[in-house]
Amino acid sequence: GESVGLHLPTLSVQEGDNSIINCAYSNSASDYFIWYKQESGKGPQFIIDIRSNMDKRQGQRVTVLLNKTVKHLSLQIAATQPGDSAVYFCAETPRSGGYQKVTFGTGTKLQVIP
Amino acid sequence: NAGVTQTPKFRVLKTGQSMTLLCAQDMNHEYMYWYRQDPGMGLRLIHYSVGEGTTAKGEVPDGYNVSRLKKQNFLLGLESAAPSQTSVYFCASSFGGGELFFGEGSRLTVL
């Protein structure tokens, strides 16, 4: 069945180091993947997305990697800062337009150690 | 731009009481959603709407009703609250696809 899951529920990193958050998905028909950041007491916020025809996409300090062979998605955060402390969710949909069922993972908590 | 606004932000109910959560978006989005978030279970879709006057069931619709009389508003109702409905509720909207814009959440406790 469809599922999106995370390997690590909690990740602690030193400030300035790079962070890598992983996500596994099982629906090979998924075409569009998104990472969300949720700070304490707030709603999830879009960070970056990637379509299945790409294997890498970069944003400001963040990079998403997609490995369709093993159905794996990762979010890399460069030079992690205290403001990056949050829960990160991966999500996937069959397509990028119209109404799509969005399947969310359970989340990984990133703790940045000053 | 306010984005997605949810009211109220906090509410305590007794078992059996009813209430309505209001969601308003000012981005002219067609699609709107109600999710609940519980520890260790991620976000689960309760109901959604693909346009004004339409609603549809999500993964966990039982005990909830919704209405979308105006494009910018999406209401979530609890007819007879139960302790199992204690949760944080998030409204979201989108133009389509997986990029959702979320509200700040409404924390509901049912005693």
Side-chain angles (χ1 to χ4, degrees):
Chain A
E2 295 178 347
S3 67
V4 178
L6 299 177
H7 296 305
L8 298 173
T10 304
L11 177 66
S12 297
V13 298
Q14 291 285 342
E15 181 178 354
D17 286 352
N18 297 334
S19 303
I20 299 176
I21 301 172
N22 296 303
C23 176
Y25 66 95
S26 61
N27 186 0
S28 57
S30 294
D31 180 59
Y32 182 58
F33 303 87
I34 313 102
W35 281 100
Y36 285 90
K37 173 185 180 182
Q38 185 176 23
E39 296 178 54
S40 180
K42 296 186 177 181
Q45 183 177 22
F46 172 91
I47 303 174
I48 191 168
D49 59 1
I50 188 168
R51 286 184 170 77
S52 62
N53 61 353
M54 304 171 67
D55 53 18
K56 181 179 180 179
R57 190 169 188 206
Q58 288 184 296
Q60 188 175 16
R61 282 201 308 116
V62 294
T63 301
V64 56
L65 299 178
L66 176 63
N67 185 330
K68 294 181 288 295
T69 302
V70 295
K71 298 179 196 170
H72 185 266
L73 191 69
S74 68
L75 177 71
Q76 300 180 359
I77 304 173
T80 311
Q81 302 170 359
D84 295 326
S85 293
V87 176
Y88 290 82
F89 295 92
C90 61
E92 55 95 14
T93 72
R95 288 181 298 278
S96 59
Y99 169 74
Q100 304 296 337
K101 179 183 177 183
V102 181
T103 302
F104 288 89
T106 53
T108 291
K109 184 176 182 179
L110 177 64
Q111 295 177 324
V112 181
I113 303 167
Chain B
N1 254 356
V4 178
T5 303
Q6 293 180 230
T7 53
K9 290 184 169 46
F10 301 93
R11 185 73 187 269
V12 178
L13 289 177
K14 294 181 180 179
T15 297
Q17 288 184 317
S18 63
M19 74 159 296
T20 300
L21 297 177
L22 171 64
C23 177
Q25 54 98 1
D26 61 3
M27 296 173 282
N28 200 34
H29 286 166
E30 287 294 331
Y31 307 101
M32 296 189 74
Y33 315 79
W34 275 106
Y35 286 89
R36 61 178 289 173
Q37 185 175 43
D38 303 293
M41 301 190 73
L43 289 155
R44 293 184 292 168
L45 182 64
I46 305 171
H47 285 282
Y48 65 96
S49 169
V50 299
E52 181 179 315
T54 75
T55 63
K57 294 180 180 179
E59 303 170 59
V60 288
D62 294 343
Y64 305 95
N65 58 74
V66 288
S67 65
R68 185 131 180 241
L69 299 179
K70 294 182 178 180
K71 185 177 184 179
Q72 64 267 33
N73 295 337
F74 196 30
L75 278 64
L76 177 70
L78 283 71
E79 297 169 337
S80 179
S84 61
Q85 294 178 304
T86 293
S87 187
V88 181
Y89 292 85
F90 287 99
C91 177
S93 68
S94 76
F95 284 118
E99 183 177 355
L100 307 181
F101 294 79
F102 286 86
E104 297 280 274
S106 298
R107 185 176 295 276
L108 175 65
T109 301
V110 183
L111 303 176

